[in-house]
Coordinates of all heavy atoms in Angstrom, one line a residue:
P1 N 35.1 35.3 143.1 CA 33.9 36.1 142.5 C 34.4 37.5 142.2 O 35.3 38.1 142.9 CB 33.0 36.1 143.7 CG 33.3 35.1 144.6 CD 34.8 34.8 144.5
D2 N 33.9 38.1 141.0 CA 34.2 39.4 140.8 C 33.5 40.4 141.7 O 34.1 41.5 142.0 CB 33.5 39.8 139.3 CG 34.2 38.9 138.3 OD1 35.5 38.6 138.4 OD2 33.6 38.6 137.3
T3 N 32.4 40.0 142.2 CA 31.7 40.8 143.2 C 31.9 40.3 144.7 O 31.7 39.1 144.8 CB 30.1 40.9 143.0 OG1 29.9 41.2 141.6 CG2 29.5 41.8 143.9
P4 N 32.4 41.1 145.5 CA 32.7 40.6 146.9 C 31.4 39.9 147.5 O 30.3 40.4 147.3 CB 33.0 41.9 147.7 CG 33.5 42.8 146.7 CD 32.7 42.5 145.5
L5 N 31.7 38.9 148.2 CA 30.5 38.1 148.8 C 29.9 38.9 149.9 O 30.6 39.6 150.7 CB 31.1 36.7 149.3 CG 31.7 35.8 148.3 CD1 32.3 34.6 149.0 CD2 30.6 35.4 147.3
D6 N 28.6 38.8 150.1 CA 27.8 39.3 151.2 C 28.2 38.5 152.4 O 28.7 37.3 152.4 CB 26.3 39.2 151.0 CG 25.8 40.1 149.9 OD1 26.6 41.1 149.6 OD2 24.8 39.7 149.4
E7 N 28.0 39.2 153.6 CA 28.2 38.5 154.9 C 27.2 37.4 155.0 O 26.1 37.5 154.6 CB 28.0 39.5 156.0 CG 28.3 39.0 157.4 CD 29.1 40.0 158.3 OE1 29.7 40.9 157.6 OE2 29.3 39.7 159.4
G8 N 27.6 36.3 155.6 CA 26.7 35.2 155.8 C 27.2 33.9 155.1 O 28.4 33.8 154.6
E9 N 26.3 32.9 154.9 CA 26.6 31.6 154.5 C 26.5 31.6 153.0 O 25.5 32.1 152.4 CB 25.6 30.5 155.1 CG 26.0 29.1 154.9 CD 25.1 28.2 155.6 OE1 25.1 28.3 156.9 OE2 24.5 27.3 155.1
H10 N 27.5 30.9 152.3 CA 27.5 30.8 150.8 C 27.8 29.3 150.6 O 28.8 28.8 151.0 CB 28.6 31.6 150.2 CG 28.3 33.2 150.4 ND1 27.7 33.9 149.5 CD2 28.6 33.9 151.5 CE1 27.6 35.1 150.0 NE2 28.2 35.2 151.2
E11 N 26.8 28.7 149.9 CA 27.0 27.3 149.5 C 27.4 27.2 148.0 O 26.6 27.5 147.1 CB 25.7 26.5 149.7 CG 25.8 25.1 149.4 CD 24.5 24.3 149.5 OE1 24.0 24.0 150.6 OE2 23.9 24.1 148.3
F12 N 28.7 26.9 147.8 CA 29.2 26.8 146.4 C 29.0 25.4 145.9 O 29.3 24.3 146.6 CB 30.7 27.1 146.4 CG 30.9 28.6 146.7 CD1 31.5 29.0 148.0 CD2 30.8 29.6 145.8 CE1 31.7 30.3 148.2 CE2 31.0 30.9 146.0 CZ 31.5 31.3 147.3
T13 N 28.7 25.3 144.6 CA 28.8 24.1 143.8 C 29.4 24.5 142.5 O 29.3 25.6 142.1 CB 27.4 23.4 143.6 OG1 26.6 24.4 143.0 CG2 26.8 23.0 144.9
V14 N 30.0 23.5 141.8 CA 30.5 23.8 140.5 C 30.0 22.7 139.5 O 29.6 21.6 139.9 CB 32.1 23.7 140.4 CG1 32.7 24.9 141.2 CG2 32.6 22.4 140.9
V15 N 29.9 23.0 138.3 CA 29.5 22.2 137.2 C 30.5 22.2 136.1 O 31.2 23.2 135.9 CB 28.1 22.6 136.6 CG1 27.8 21.8 135.3 CG2 27.0 22.5 137.6
E16 N 31.0 21.1 135.5 CA 32.0 21.0 134.5 C 31.3 20.9 133.2 O 30.5 20.0 133.0 CB 33.0 19.9 134.8 CG 34.2 19.9 133.9 CD 35.3 19.0 134.4 OE1 35.4 18.8 135.7 OE2 36.1 18.5 133.6
R17 N 31.8 21.7 132.2 CA 31.2 21.6 130.8 C 32.4 21.3 129.8 O 33.3 21.9 129.9 CB 30.5 23.0 130.4 CG 29.8 22.8 129.1 CD 29.3 24.2 128.6 NE 28.5 24.9 129.6 CZ 28.7 26.2 130.0 NH1 29.7 26.9 129.4 NH2 28.0 26.7 131.0
D18 N 32.1 20.3 128.9 CA 33.2 20.0 127.9 C 32.9 20.8 126.6 O 31.9 21.5 126.5 CB 33.2 18.5 127.6 CG 32.0 17.9 127.0 OD1 31.2 18.7 126.4 OD2 31.8 16.7 127.1
P19 N 33.9 20.7 125.7 CA 33.8 21.6 124.4 C 32.5 21.4 123.7 O 32.1 22.2 122.9 CB 35.1 21.3 123.6 CG 36.1 20.8 124.6 CD 35.2 20.2 125.7
A20 N 32.0 20.1 123.8 CA 30.7 19.8 123.0 C 29.6 20.3 123.7 O 28.4 20.2 123.1 CB 30.7 18.3 122.9
G21 N 29.6 20.9 125.0 CA 28.5 21.4 125.6 C 27.9 20.5 126.5 O 26.8 20.8 127.2
N22 N 28.5 19.3 126.8 CA 28.0 18.4 127.8 C 28.3 18.8 129.2 O 29.4 19.2 129.5 CB 28.5 17.1 127.6 CG 28.1 16.5 126.3 OD1 26.9 16.3 125.9 ND2 29.2 16.1 125.5
E23 N 27.3 18.9 130.1 CA 27.6 19.4 131.5 C 27.5 18.2 132.4 O 26.6 17.4 132.4 CB 26.5 20.4 131.8 CG 26.9 21.8 131.4 CD 26.2 23.0 132.0 OE1 25.2 22.7 132.8 OE2 26.5 24.1 131.8
S24 N 28.4 18.2 133.4 CA 28.3 17.3 134.5 C 27.2 17.5 135.5 O 26.5 18.6 135.4 CB 29.7 17.3 135.3 OG 29.7 18.5 136.0
R25 N 27.0 16.6 136.3 CA 26.1 16.9 137.5 C 26.9 17.9 138.4 O 28.1 17.9 138.4 CB 25.9 15.6 138.3 CG 25.0 14.6 137.5 CD 24.6 13.4 138.4 NE 25.7 12.6 139.0 CZ 25.8 12.4 140.3 NH1 24.9 12.7 141.1 NH2 26.9 11.7 140.7
P26 N 26.2 18.7 139.3 CA 26.9 19.6 140.2 C 27.7 18.8 141.1 O 27.4 17.7 141.6 CB 25.7 20.4 140.8 CG 24.5 19.9 140.2 CD 24.7 18.7 139.4
S27 N 28.8 19.5 141.7 CA 29.6 19.0 142.6 C 28.9 18.9 144.0 O 27.8 19.6 144.1 CB 30.8 19.9 142.8 OG 30.5 21.1 143.4
E28 N 29.5 18.2 145.0 CA 28.9 18.4 146.3 C 29.1 19.7 146.7 O 30.1 20.4 146.3 CB 29.7 17.4 147.3 CG 29.5 15.9 147.0 CD 28.1 15.6 147.2 OE1 27.4 15.9 148.2 OE2 27.4 14.8 146.4
P29 N 28.2 20.3 147.6 CA 28.4 21.7 148.0 C 29.6 21.9 149.0 O 30.0 21.0 149.7 CB 27.1 22.0 148.7 CG 26.4 20.7 149.0 CD 27.0 19.6 148.1
H30 N 30.1 23.1 149.0 CA 31.1 23.5 149.9 C 30.6 24.8 150.5 O 30.5 25.8 149.7 CB 32.5 23.7 149.2 CG 33.7 23.9 150.1 ND1 34.7 23.0 150.1 CD2 33.9 24.9 150.9 CE1 35.6 23.4 151.1 NE2 35.1 24.6 151.4
V31 N 30.4 24.8 151.7 CA 29.8 26.0 152.5 C 30.9 26.9 153.1 O 31.8 26.3 153.7 CB 28.8 25.6 153.5 CG1 28.3 26.7 154.3 CG2 27.6 24.8 152.9
V32 N 30.9 28.1 152.7 CA 31.8 29.1 153.4 C 30.9 30.2 154.1 O 30.0 30.6 153.5 CB 32.6 29.7 152.2 CG1 33.4 30.9 152.8 CG2 33.5 28.8 151.6
I33 N 31.3 30.6 155.2 CA 30.7 31.6 156.0 C 31.5 32.8 156.0 O 32.6 32.9 156.6 CB 30.3 31.1 157.5 CG1 29.4 30.0 157.4 CG2 29.6 32.2 158.2 CD1 29.4 29.1 158.7
V34 N 31.0 33.9 155.4 CA 31.7 35.2 155.4 C 31.4 36.0 156.6 O 30.2 36.2 156.9 CB 31.4 36.0 154.1 CG1 32.1 37.3 154.2 CG2 31.9 35.2 152.9
D35 N 32.4 36.3 157.4 CA 32.1 37.0 158.7 C 33.1 38.2 158.9 O 34.3 37.9 159.1 CB 32.2 36.1 159.9 CG 32.0 36.8 161.2 OD1 31.8 37.9 161.3 OD2 32.2 36.1 162.2
T36 N 32.7 39.4 158.6 CA 33.6 40.5 158.7 C 33.3 41.5 159.9 O 33.8 42.6 159.9 CB 33.6 41.3 157.3 OG1 32.3 41.8 157.1 CG2 34.0 40.5 156.2
T37 N 32.4 40.9 160.7 CA 31.9 41.8 161.8 C 32.9 41.5 163.1 O 32.9 40.3 163.6 CB 30.5 41.4 162.2 OG1 29.7 41.7 161.0 CG2 29.9 42.4 163.4
A38 N 33.4 42.5 163.7 CA 34.1 42.3 164.9 C 33.3 42.0 166.1 O 32.1 42.4 166.2 CB 34.9 43.7 165.2
P39 N 33.9 41.2 167.1 CA 33.1 41.0 168.3 C 32.8 42.1 169.1 O 33.5 43.1 168.9 CB 34.0 40.0 169.0 CG 35.0 39.5 168.1 CD 35.1 40.6 167.0
D40 N 31.8 42.0 170.0 CA 31.6 43.2 170.9 C 32.8 43.4 171.8 O 33.6 42.5 172.0 CB 30.3 42.8 171.8 CG 29.1 42.8 171.0 OD1 29.0 43.5 169.9 OD2 28.1 42.2 171.5
Q41 N 32.8 44.6 172.4 CA 34.0 44.9 173.3 C 33.9 44.0 174.5 O 32.9 43.9 175.2 CB 33.9 46.3 173.8 CG 35.0 46.8 174.6 CD 34.9 48.2 175.1 OE1 33.8 48.8 175.2 NE2 36.0 48.9 175.3
P42 N 34.9 43.3 174.9 CA 34.9 42.3 175.9 C 35.1 43.0 177.3 O 35.5 44.2 177.4 CB 36.1 41.3 175.6 CG 37.0 42.2 174.9 CD 36.3 43.1 174.1
V43 N 34.8 42.2 178.3 CA 34.9 42.8 179.6 C 35.7 41.8 180.5 O 35.5 40.5 180.4 CB 33.5 42.9 180.3 CG1 33.6 43.2 181.8 CG2 32.7 44.0 179.6
I44 N 36.7 42.1 181.3 CA 37.3 41.4 182.3 C 36.4 41.2 183.5 O 36.1 42.2 184.2 CB 38.7 42.0 182.8 CG1 39.6 42.0 181.6 CG2 39.3 41.1 183.9 CD1 40.9 42.8 181.8
G45 N 35.9 40.0 183.6 CA 34.9 39.8 184.7 C 35.5 39.9 186.1 O 35.0 40.7 187.0
E46 N 36.6 39.2 186.3 CA 37.2 39.1 187.7 C 38.6 38.8 187.5 O 39.0 38.1 186.5 CB 36.6 38.1 188.6 CG 35.4 38.5 189.3 CD 35.0 37.6 190.4 OE1 35.0 36.3 190.1 OE2 34.6 38.0 191.5
V47 N 39.5 39.2 188.4 CA 40.9 38.7 188.6 C 40.9 38.0 189.9 O 40.6 38.7 190.9 CB 41.9 39.9 188.4 CG1 43.3 39.5 188.7 CG2 41.7 40.6 187.1
I48 N 41.4 36.8 190.0 CA 41.3 36.0 191.2 C 42.7 35.7 191.7 O 43.6 35.2 190.9 CB 40.6 34.6 190.8 CG1 39.3 34.8 190.1 CG2 40.5 33.9 192.2 CD1 38.2 35.3 190.9
D49 N 43.0 36.0 192.9 CA 44.2 35.7 193.6 C 44.0 34.4 194.4 O 43.0 34.3 195.2 CB 44.4 36.9 194.6 CG 45.5 36.6 195.7 OD1 45.7 35.5 196.1 OD2 46.1 37.6 196.2
D50 N 44.9 33.3 194.2 CA 44.8 32.2 195.0 C 46.0 31.8 195.7 O 46.4 30.6 195.9 CB 44.2 30.9 194.2 CG 45.2 30.6 193.1 OD1 46.3 31.3 193.0 OD2 44.9 29.6 192.4
V51 N 46.7 32.8 196.2 CA 48.0 32.6 196.9 C 48.0 33.4 198.2 O 47.5 34.6 198.3 CB 49.2 33.2 196.0 CG1 50.5 33.4 196.8 CG2 49.4 32.3 194.8
G52 N 48.6 32.8 199.3 CA 48.9 33.6 200.5 C 47.6 33.7 201.4 O 46.6 33.0 201.3
L53 N 47.7 34.6 202.4 CA 46.8 34.8 203.4 C 45.5 35.4 202.8 O 44.3 35.0 203.2 CB 47.2 35.5 204.6 CG 48.3 34.9 205.4 CD1 48.8 35.8 206.5 CD2 47.8 33.7 206.2
V54 N 45.6 36.4 202.0 CA 44.5 37.1 201.4 C 44.2 36.6 200.0 O 45.1 36.7 199.1 CB 44.7 38.6 201.4 CG1 43.6 39.3 200.8 CG2 45.0 39.2 202.7
Q55 N 43.1 35.9 199.8 CA 42.8 35.3 198.5 C 41.4 35.8 198.1 O 40.6 36.4 198.9 CB 42.8 33.9 198.6 CG 44.1 33.3 199.0 CD 44.2 31.8 198.9 OE1 43.3 31.1 198.3 NE2 45.4 31.2 199.4
G56 N 41.1 35.6 196.8 CA 39.8 36.0 196.2 C 39.9 37.0 195.2 O 41.0 37.3 194.6
P57 N 38.8 37.7 194.8 CA 38.9 38.6 193.7 C 39.7 39.9 194.1 O 39.7 40.3 195.2 CB 37.4 39.1 193.6 CG 36.6 38.1 194.3 CD 37.4 37.5 195.4
V58 N 40.5 40.3 193.1 CA 41.3 41.5 193.2 C 40.6 42.6 192.4 O 40.5 42.6 191.2 CB 42.8 41.3 192.6 CG1 43.6 42.5 192.8 CG2 43.4 40.0 193.2
D59 N 40.2 43.7 193.2 CA 39.4 44.8 192.5 C 40.4 45.5 191.7 O 41.6 45.5 191.8 CB 38.8 45.6 193.5 CG 37.6 45.0 194.3 OD1 37.1 44.0 193.6 OD2 37.3 45.5 195.3
N60 N 39.8 46.2 190.7 CA 40.5 47.1 189.7 C 41.4 48.1 190.6 O 40.9 48.9 191.3 CB 39.5 47.9 188.9 CG 40.1 48.4 187.6 OD1 41.4 48.4 187.4 ND2 39.3 49.0 186.7
G61 N 42.7 48.1 190.4 CA 43.5 49.1 191.0 C 44.1 48.5 192.4 O 45.0 49.2 193.0
E62 N 43.6 47.4 192.9 CA 43.9 46.8 194.1 C 45.3 46.0 194.0 O 45.6 45.5 192.8 CB 42.9 45.8 194.6 CG 42.8 45.8 196.1 CD 41.6 44.9 196.4 OE1 41.4 43.7 195.9 OE2 40.7 45.4 197.3
S63 N 46.0 45.8 195.1 CA 47.3 45.1 195.1 C 47.0 43.6 195.3 O 46.0 43.2 195.9 CB 48.2 45.5 196.2 OG 48.6 46.9 196.0
T64 N 48.0 42.7 194.9 CA 47.9 41.3 195.1 C 49.4 40.7 195.2 O 50.3 41.3 194.7 CB 47.2 40.5 194.0 OG1 47.2 39.2 194.3 CG2 47.8 40.8 192.7
D65 N 49.5 39.6 196.0 CA 50.8 39.0 196.1 C 50.8 37.8 195.1 O 51.8 36.9 195.1 CB 51.0 38.5 197.5 CG 50.0 37.5 198.0 OD1 49.0 37.3 197.4 OD2 50.2 36.9 199.1
D66 N 49.7 37.6 194.4 CA 49.6 36.5 193.4 C 50.3 37.0 192.1 O 49.8 37.8 191.4 CB 48.3 36.0 193.2 CG 48.1 34.7 192.4 OD1 49.0 34.3 191.8 OD2 47.0 34.2 192.3
T67 N 51.5 36.4 191.8 CA 52.1 36.7 190.5 C 51.6 36.1 189.2 O 52.0 36.3 188.1 CB 53.7 36.5 190.5 OG1 53.8 35.0 190.8 CG2 54.4 37.2 191.7
T68 N 50.6 35.1 189.5 CA 49.9 34.5 188.3 C 48.5 34.5 188.7 O 47.7 33.4 188.7 CB 50.4 33.1 188.1 OG1 50.3 32.3 189.4 CG2 51.9 33.0 187.7
P69 N 47.9 35.6 188.8 CA 46.5 35.7 189.1 C 45.7 35.2 187.9 O 46.2 35.2 186.7 CB 46.2 37.2 189.3 CG 47.3 37.9 188.5 CD 48.5 37.0 188.6
T70 N 44.5 34.7 188.1 CA 43.6 34.2 187.0 C 42.5 35.2 186.6 O 41.9 35.8 187.4 CB 42.8 32.9 187.6 OG1 43.8 32.0 188.0 CG2 41.9 32.3 186.6
L71 N 42.5 35.6 185.3 CA 41.6 36.5 184.7 C 40.5 35.6 184.2 O 40.7 34.6 183.5 CB 42.2 37.3 183.6 CG 43.1 38.5 184.0 CD1 44.4 37.9 184.6 CD2 43.4 39.3 182.7
V72 N 39.2 36.1 184.4 CA 38.0 35.4 183.9 C 37.1 36.4 183.3 O 37.1 37.5 183.6 CB 37.3 34.5 185.0 CG1 38.2 33.4 185.5 CG2 36.8 35.3 186.1
G73 N 36.2 35.9 182.3 CA 35.3 36.8 181.7 C 34.4 36.0 180.8 O 34.4 34.8 180.8
K74 N 33.5 36.7 180.0 CA 32.6 36.1 179.1 C 32.9 36.6 177.7 O 33.6 37.6 177.5 CB 31.2 36.7 179.5 CG 30.6 36.3 180.9 CD 29.9 35.1 180.8 CE 29.3 34.8 182.1 NZ 28.7 33.4 182.2
G75 N 32.5 35.8 176.8 CA 32.7 36.1 175.3 C 31.8 35.2 174.5 O 30.9 34.5 174.9
E76 N 32.0 35.4 173.2 CA 31.2 34.5 172.3 C 32.0 33.2 172.2 O 33.1 33.1 171.8 CB 31.3 35.3 170.8 CG 30.3 36.3 170.6 CD 28.8 35.7 170.6 OE1 28.5 34.8 169.9 OE2 28.0 36.2 171.4
P77 N 31.2 32.1 172.3 CA 31.8 30.7 172.3 C 32.7 30.6 170.9 O 32.2 31.0 169.8 CB 30.6 29.8 172.2 CG 29.6 30.5 173.0 CD 29.7 32.1 172.6
G78 N 33.8 30.0 171.1 CA 34.7 29.8 170.0 C 35.7 31.0 169.6 O 36.6 30.8 168.9
D79 N 35.4 32.1 170.2 CA 36.3 33.3 170.0 C 37.6 33.1 170.8 O 37.6 32.3 171.7 CB 35.6 34.6 170.3 CG 34.7 35.1 169.2 OD1 34.5 34.3 168.2 OD2 34.1 36.1 169.4
T80 N 38.6 33.9 170.4 CA 39.9 33.9 171.1 C 40.0 35.1 171.9 O 39.8 36.2 171.4 CB 41.1 33.8 170.1 OG1 40.9 32.6 169.4 CG2 42.4 33.8 170.8
I81 N 40.4 35.0 173.2 CA 40.7 36.2 174.0 C 42.2 36.4 174.1 O 42.9 35.5 174.4 CB 40.2 36.0 175.4 CG1 38.6 35.8 175.4 CG2 40.6 37.2 176.4 CD1 37.8 37.1 175.0
V82 N 42.7 37.6 173.7 CA 44.1 37.8 173.7 C 44.3 38.7 174.9 O 43.6 39.8 175.1 CB 44.5 38.7 172.5 CG1 46.0 39.0 172.5 CG2 44.2 37.9 171.2
V83 N 45.1 38.2 175.9 CA 45.4 38.9 177.1 C 46.6 39.9 176.9 O 47.6 39.3 176.5 CB 45.6 38.0 178.3 CG1 45.9 38.7 179.5 CG2 44.4 37.0 178.4
I84 N 46.5 41.2 177.3 CA 47.5 42.2 177.1 C 47.9 42.8 178.4 O 47.0 43.2 179.1 CB 47.0 43.3 176.0 CG1 46.6 42.6 174.8 CG2 47.9 44.3 175.8 CD1 45.6 43.4 173.8
D85 N 49.2 42.8 178.6 CA 49.7 43.3 179.9 C 50.6 44.4 179.6 O 51.6 44.4 178.9 CB 50.5 42.3 180.7 CG 51.1 42.8 181.9 OD1 50.7 43.8 182.3 OD2 52.0 42.1 182.5
N86 N 50.2 45.7 180.1 CA 51.0 46.9 179.8 C 51.2 47.1 178.3 O 52.3 47.5 177.9 CB 52.3 46.9 180.6 CG 52.0 47.2 182.1 OD1 51.0 47.7 182.5 ND2 53.0 46.7 182.9
G87 N 50.3 46.7 177.4 CA 50.4 46.9 176.0 C 51.0 45.8 175.3 O 51.0 45.8 174.1
T88 N 51.5 44.7 175.9 CA 52.1 43.6 175.3 C 51.3 42.4 175.4 O 50.9 42.0 176.5 CB 53.5 43.4 176.0 OG1 54.3 44.6 175.9 CG2 54.2 42.2 175.3
P89 N 51.0 41.7 174.3 CA 50.2 40.5 174.5 C 51.0 39.4 175.2 O 52.2 39.2 175.0 CB 50.0 40.0 172.9 CG 50.2 41.3 172.2 CD 51.2 42.1 172.9
V90 N 50.4 38.8 176.2 CA 51.1 37.8 177.1 C 50.5 36.4 177.0 O 50.9 35.5 177.6 CB 51.1 38.2 178.5 CG1 52.0 39.5 178.7 CG2 49.7 38.4 179.1
G91 N 49.4 36.3 176.1 CA 48.9 35.0 176.0 C 47.4 35.0 175.4 O 46.9 36.1 175.3
E92 N 46.9 33.8 175.1 CA 45.5 33.8 174.4 C 44.8 32.6 175.1 O 45.5 31.7 175.6 CB 45.7 33.5 173.0 CG 46.3 34.6 172.2 CD 46.3 34.4 170.6 OE1 45.8 33.2 170.3 OE2 46.8 35.2 169.9
T93 N 43.5 32.7 175.1 CA 42.6 31.7 175.6 C 41.4 31.6 174.8 O 41.0 32.7 174.2 CB 42.4 31.8 177.1 OG1 41.7 30.6 177.6 CG2 41.6 33.0 177.4
Q94 N 40.8 30.5 174.8 CA 39.5 30.3 174.0 C 38.3 30.6 174.9 O 38.2 30.1 176.0 CB 39.4 28.9 173.5 CG 40.5 28.6 172.4 CD 40.5 29.4 171.2 OE1 41.4 30.0 170.8 NE2 39.3 29.4 170.5
V95 N 37.2 31.1 174.3 CA 36.0 31.1 175.0 C 35.3 29.8 174.8 O 35.2 29.3 173.7 CB 35.1 32.3 174.4 CG1 33.7 32.3 175.0 CG2 35.7 33.6 174.4
D96 N 34.9 29.3 175.9 CA 34.3 27.9 175.8 C 32.8 28.0 175.3 O 32.3 29.0 175.1 CB 34.4 27.1 177.2 CG 33.6 27.7 178.4 OD1 32.5 28.4 178.0 OD2 33.8 27.3 179.5
E97 N 32.2 26.7 175.3 CA 31.0 26.6 174.7 C 29.8 27.2 175.5 O 28.7 27.6 175.0 CB 30.6 25.1 174.3 CG 30.5 24.3 175.6 CD 30.5 22.8 175.3 OE1 30.8 22.5 174.1 OE2 30.2 22.0 176.2
D98 N 30.2 27.6 176.8 CA 29.2 28.2 177.6 C 29.4 29.7 177.7 O 28.7 30.4 178.4 CB 29.3 27.6 179.1 CG 29.0 26.2 179.2 OD1 27.9 25.7 178.5 OD2 29.6 25.5 180.0
G99 N 30.4 30.2 176.9 CA 30.6 31.6 176.8 C 31.5 32.1 177.9 O 31.6 33.3 178.1
N100 N 32.3 31.2 178.6 CA 33.2 31.7 179.6 C 34.7 31.5 179.1 O 35.0 30.6 178.4 CB 33.1 30.8 180.9 CG 31.7 30.9 181.4 OD1 31.2 32.0 181.8 ND2 31.0 29.8 181.6
W101 N 35.6 32.4 179.6 CA 37.0 32.2 179.3 C 37.8 32.4 180.6 O 37.2 33.0 181.6 CB 37.5 33.1 178.3 CG 37.3 34.6 178.5 CD1 36.3 35.4 178.1 CD2 38.2 35.4 179.3 NE1 36.5 36.7 178.5 CE2 37.7 36.7 179.2 CE3 39.5 35.2 179.9 CZ2 38.3 37.9 179.9 CZ3 40.0 36.3 180.6 CH2 39.5 37.6 180.5
S102 N 38.9 31.9 180.7 CA 39.8 32.0 181.9 C 41.3 31.9 181.5 O 41.6 31.2 180.6 CB 39.4 31.1 183.0 OG 40.4 30.1 183.3
F103 N 42.1 32.7 182.1 CA 43.5 32.8 181.6 C 44.4 32.8 183.0 O 44.0 33.8 183.8 CB 43.8 34.0 180.8 CG 45.3 34.2 180.4 CD1 45.7 33.5 179.3 CD2 46.1 35.0 181.2 CE1 47.1 33.7 179.0 CE2 47.4 35.1 180.8 CZ 47.9 34.5 179.8
Ligands
LIG201 CA1 46.9 36.6 197.9

């Protein structure tokens, strides 16, 4: 399109016209959803330690002996959560249909 599409759902169809001016029936629709809005700022709900004598949630700034703690939180279903450790991405996980994610 010459004009950028608005945010939201766009149902495209096409019609073919020959040099004599005969037009086909319209094509089956093809729906495209334009989404240029960033998700809300996410929150790390909890970090869980499941190793050793002391287990359970690890508070912000607290120590743990679990070298593979589990991070959990909420998000928009279908979105991807990118986990970043000291500025370096270390993995990704999907937000499930109930809005929960875990890594
Ligand atoms: Ca522990």
Side-chain angles (χ1 to χ4, degrees):
D2 294 331
T3 307
L5 299 173
D6 291 336
E7 186 132 347
E9 190 171 303
H10 297 264
E11 183 185 282
F12 290 105
T13 53
V14 294
V15 170
E16 186 165 335
R17 184 189 309 131
D18 67 18
N22 299 302
E23 279 195 351
S24 71
R25 293 189 301 131
S27 69
E28 292 297 314
H30 190 113
V31 174
V32 172
I33 300 159
V34 175
D35 177 3
T36 60
T37 305
D40 291 338
Q41 184 180 30
V43 174
I44 297 173
E46 273 190 323
V47 177
I48 312 286
D49 166 336
D50 64 356
V51 167
L53 292 175
V54 179
Q55 300 189 10
V58 182
D59 288 340
N60 196 355
E62 211 174 53
S63 298
T64 178
D65 61 349
D66 188 348
T67 57
T68 58
T70 302
L71 282 68
V72 300
K74 298 267 188 193
E76 279 292 308
D79 282 0
T80 300
I81 297 293
V82 181
V83 179
I84 301 162
D85 177 14
N86 288 335
T88 302
V90 293
E92 297 184 357
T93 186
Q94 296 295 124
V95 181
D96 71 19
E97 60 195 14
D98 297 321
N100 299 306
W101 60 264
S102 113
F103 176 84

